[in-house]
Amino acid sequence: MNSSYAVPAVALVLVSTVLVGAFGLRISRTTSDFYVASRTVGPRLNAAAISGEYLSAASFLGIAGLVLVQGPDMLWYPVGYTAGYLVLLLFVAAPLRRSGAYTLPDFAEARLASQAVRRLAGAFVVGVGWLYLLPQLQGAGLTLTVLTGAPDWLGGVSVAVVVTAIVAAGGMRSITFVQAFQYWLKLTALLVPALFLVLAWQGDGAPRHTFDEPAAFREQRAVRVEDSLTLRLDEPLTVTVDGSVDGRRHRGGEVTLPAGSHHIAAGTRLTFAEGAEVPSAGQGADDALSPSRAESREERPLYATYGLMLATFFGTMGLPHVVVRFYTSPHGVAARRTTVAVLGLIGAFYLLPPLYGALGRLYAPELTLTGNADAAVLLLPGLMIGGVGGDLLGALVAGGAFAAFLSTASGLTMAVAGVLTQDVLPSRGVRHFRLGTVLAMAVPLAGSLLVGGLPVADAVGLAFAVSASSFCPLLVLGIWWRQLTPPGAAAGMLVGGGAAFLAVAATMAGYPGQGAWHALLAWPALWSVPLGFLTMILVSLATPGRVPPGTAAVLARFHLPEELRTEVSA
């Protein structure tokens, strides 16, 4: 990609973000402005802002990368991400707004009158927020590296600096305008190039492949392996090798690799013949030491699909940066209308990333071997169109990608900073909120610099699993079941959310390796969500005397429309 166009596009997005945030700063005056924009954000603006922060690196880059590598099975990701808002609309949106809370810990305390449950909820907000921030920063580093060859830490640092400045300066009022602007930018950045890519594909006289066929090279293609990897072959493959395969050095001759696993050393150049299927690949020399969620998905596709569906359907309602936006609605009816609008906005957006993934299987299948599948969206304009037109479209996509990182990182930083200010720092004023903003970004930034991550959509999927296992039971039972007790809520979050968190940590660390245990840990929602609900219910039933006094009045406030509550109190 020609960085002479892409770099100015990214810079323009960064500058525009600062300017739009400055507009919000001018009208941000009170503490309520900083936390919930004084609860005055209308449904249309709020829906665009929610969509802007929700459509993250996983949506903009990761879904296309997963579709490129693994095909139509990955369409469950956009379906799940969208359907999560339907669950949110039906069970949570309006009562959550009527709770009058600023954050999820505020909701937990208002419902259960327990400081211990509040602190535990705060810990999970911070954990899920940081886990979700990591792939945003890593995605920014990948994008800038693809564009310019810059070090992979530079993109993450750039996003961290801009986001910290905007959130610390203007709070929720600023990022509302920023995220609404960035939704429309992201939609444009995918839609316009997609139209040209489809026209280029239709004008291409090459033979067509159906979407569910294995990815294959349309022409002879040379691939240089940057990091060592393992090729897994179902049948023998003839390939020209310049480098080391299975410890043997080859100097440009043809080699027939038998079915099985083969270690490819870093720096090896492989030349595949036209029509050759793209082999599946894993990072590292030993599959047992370098498991992948892709591998467990192939071994147990039904289990992986249901695990993904459950995580995305129920994880959305507990994502801290999504939930906090509903507190900005004027009333419960506005929160419901906002959710309906969000369904339309994100549904329209999610039609596009799978298209890029499908085209990537035709025109850039080598990305599955180089480990850069998430870069397919960035590279396709140059590969399919080329010339100045391809460079300009690629620059537009690059700008949209940075908008995705900025908007989602802004919402997450806002949510985590709010909890840190309310529950960790000694004061709740604006000055301490700004300190909380710095802390909220510093930890995931350090993590992104020190730890290599999963593909961005997989990493975000793990954050959804933790959210679904901890906050989904708390919100659903807290809103709809009067017998919930503080010990039950705490036990459910600890058991369900804690188990999912441990599974996430084991998966990211590469344990237990492979087989059934690896699948259980790589897709934990299928057992951790029911475990969280069951624990919360059983412990609450075992402690009936701990139901907080005034629970009936609290639930009435959640469920009665604002105007009816006013009439009753009068």
Side-chain angles (χ1 to χ4, degrees), residues 195-211:
L195 296 176
F196 286 94
L197 294 179
V198 169
L199 290 174
W201 172 63
Q202 288 295 321
D204 187 350
R208 297 285 191 263
H209 286 78
T210 61
F211 189 24

Side-chain angles (χ1 to χ4, degrees), residues 7 10-11 13-15 17-18 136-138 140-141 143-145 148 150-166 402 405-406 409-410 441 445 448-449:
V7 172
V10 170
V13 169
L14 293 173
V15 172
T17 298
V18 172
Q136 312 310 314
L137 301 176
Q138 291 172 344
T143 300
L144 205 61
T145 299
T148 68
D152 56 8
W153 56 265
L154 184 58
V157 170
S158 301
V159 167
V161 170
V162 172
V163 166
T164 301
I166 292 171
F402 257 77
F405 310 138
L406 290 166
S410 297
M441 180 57 76
L445 177 61
S448 70
L449 298 177

Side-chain angles (χ1 to χ4, degrees), residues 199-225:
L199 290 174
W201 172 63
Q202 288 295 321
D204 187 350
R208 297 285 191 263
H209 286 78
T210 61
F211 189 24
D212 57 350
E213 287 181 355
F217 294 99
R218 299 172 61 250
E219 58 189 18
Q220 186 182 71
R221 187 69 59 89
V223 180
R224 187 177 188 277
V225 176

Side-chain angles (χ1 to χ4, degrees), residues 465-527:
V466 176
S467 171
S469 305
S470 53
F471 289 125
C472 176
L474 175 67
L475 288 169
V476 171
L477 296 178
I479 290 172
W480 297 99
W481 191 46
R482 67 176 58 243
Q483 292 178 266
L484 181 66
T485 66
M493 282 194 291
L494 279 174
V495 173
F501 213 99
L502 291 175
V504 167
T507 300
M508 298 185 76
Y511 296 100
Q514 56 188 353
W517 279 107
H518 174 57
L520 286 171
L521 296 181
W523 306 96
L526 204 58
W527 52 268

Side-chain angles (χ1 to χ4, degrees), residues 82-283:
T82 306
Y85 273 94
L86 182 60
V87 178
L88 187 65
L89 170 66
L90 294 175
F91 296 107
V92 173
L96 191 64
R97 166 59 188 91
R98 295 183 187 122
S99 72
Y102 284 104
T103 62
L104 273 171
D106 283 343
F107 168 83
E109 184 181 18
R111 171 63 178 84
L112 297 164
S114 170
Q115 281 291 323
V117 176
R118 178 192 179 96
R119 287 192 291 269
L120 183 60
F124 272 101
V125 167
V126 173
V128 171
W130 282 345
L131 185 63
Y132 210 140
L133 271 168
L134 272 172
Q136 312 310 314
L137 301 176
Q138 291 172 344
L142 167 68
T143 300
L144 205 61
T145 299
V146 169
L147 296 177
T148 68
D152 56 8
W153 56 265
L154 184 58
V157 170
S158 301
V159 167
V161 170
V162 172
V163 166
T164 301
I166 292 171
V167 175
M172 182 63 78
R173 184 72 76 179
S174 281
I175 68 170
T176 296
F177 294 110
V178 167
Q179 290 168 338
F181 158 73
Q182 288 172 337
Y183 167 77
W184 295 108
L185 175 59
K186 284 184 281 189
L187 183 63
T188 303
L190 281 190
L191 179 59
V192 173
L195 296 176
F196 286 94
L197 294 179
V198 169
L199 290 174
W201 172 63
Q202 288 295 321
D204 187 350
R208 297 285 191 263
H209 286 78
T210 61
F211 189 24
D212 57 350
E213 287 181 355
F217 294 99
R218 299 172 61 250
E219 58 189 18
Q220 186 182 71
R221 187 69 59 89
V223 180
R224 187 177 188 277
V225 176
E226 299 294 337
D227 298 312
S228 63
L229 57 80
T230 298
L231 295 185
R232 294 182 289 273
L233 304 178
D234 295 327
E235 55 186 37
L237 172 69
T238 299
V239 62
T240 301
V241 179
D242 186 0
S244 178
V245 176
D246 294 331
R248 292 186 176 183
R249 184 72 184 176
H250 302 273
R251 299 189 179 278
E254 281 195 351
V255 177
T256 298
L257 303 176
S261 297
H262 301 276
H263 173 55
I264 312 298
T268 299
R269 183 182 179 88
L270 304 175
T271 303
F272 295 87
E274 178 183 351
E277 288 189 9
V278 180
S280 61
Q283 297 299 315

